[in-house]
Amino acid sequence: LITNASGCSATSGLTTVTTNPSPTATATPGGPTTFCAGGSVLLTAGSGTGYTYQWELGGTPVSGASLISYTATASGNYAVVVTRSGCSATSGTIAVTVNPAPPSTVTPSGPTSFCSGGSVTLNASTGAGLSYQWRLGGTPISGATTSSFTASIGGNYTVFVTNSTGCTATSAITTVSVGTVPTATITPGGPTTFCTGGNVVLNGST
């Protein structure tokens, strides 16, 4: 209603103002948020009609992460921004911790091919809080739980390493080859006692 100095007044037409409510923004992990390298956790936002989503890591939008769910594989604080009718809301953060796998390399102390009766020491990478289990052909070797193992039998050796956070890793295969010692015998071809000027043929094993 507008009134001028002469007392005349007029009323404008109606202007409708609509206030859209902010969407509800929640994020829920589908499993443990602390896991070993190579693992993941599925994060799921709350659903609603007309919702769109943008996942963030440490406050920075994750490229292409615009679905209701996101699979997190890296450490950090995750949140989701939910938008509806131009109004946005951000969920609380979910802290994801990815523990590293232990080192799992094997270094032989010498040649891995040798004759029967020989051996080679296999040395695993070392570090604080590591435990070990050596395996031959995938089967655990009883009592072989230190960082080194002396192999005297041919086959494919690996070491299974566990660190203090419970994360594990298996080394690449180290193949040990053990050659068979040949049979060494002598067989005389006749009497071994004879007169001067005689002889006997000695035959080695073939």
Side-chain angles (χ1 to χ4, degrees), residues 9-184:
S9 61
T11 301
S12 70
L14 292 175
T15 299
T16 300
V17 175
T18 302
T19 302
N20 292 319
S22 295
T24 300
T26 60
T28 305
T33 56
T34 298
F35 47 85
C36 298
S40 64
V41 61
L42 182 67
L43 309 178
T44 303
S47 61
T49 302
Y51 282 12
T52 59
Y53 306 90
Q54 177 59 61
W55 290 91
E56 295 181 342
L57 173 57
T60 300
V62 179
S63 177
S66 57
L67 301 177
I68 192 172
S69 295
Y70 177 73
T71 300
T73 59
S75 293
N77 294 318
Y78 290 84
V80 63
V81 178
V82 181
T83 302
R84 180 183 62 188
S85 301
C87 299
S88 297
T90 303
S91 71
T93 59
I94 297 175
V96 172
T97 302
V98 181
N99 292 318
S104 59
T105 58
V106 173
T107 305
S109 63
T112 55
S113 295
F114 46 83
C115 296
S116 178
S119 65
V120 62
T121 299
L122 307 179
N123 299 301
S125 46
T126 58
L130 299 182
S131 61
Y132 307 88
Q133 176 60 66
W134 290 90
R135 296 176 176 179
L136 173 57
T139 300
I141 302 170
S142 178
T145 56
T146 61
S147 62
S148 296
F149 178 74
T150 300
S152 58
I153 299 173
N156 294 324
Y157 289 84
T158 56
V159 64
F160 185 77
V161 186
T162 304
N163 63 17
S164 58
T165 62
C167 295
T168 61
T170 301
S171 71
I173 290 173
T174 299
T175 300
V176 173
S177 299
V178 179
T180 302
V181 175
T183 301

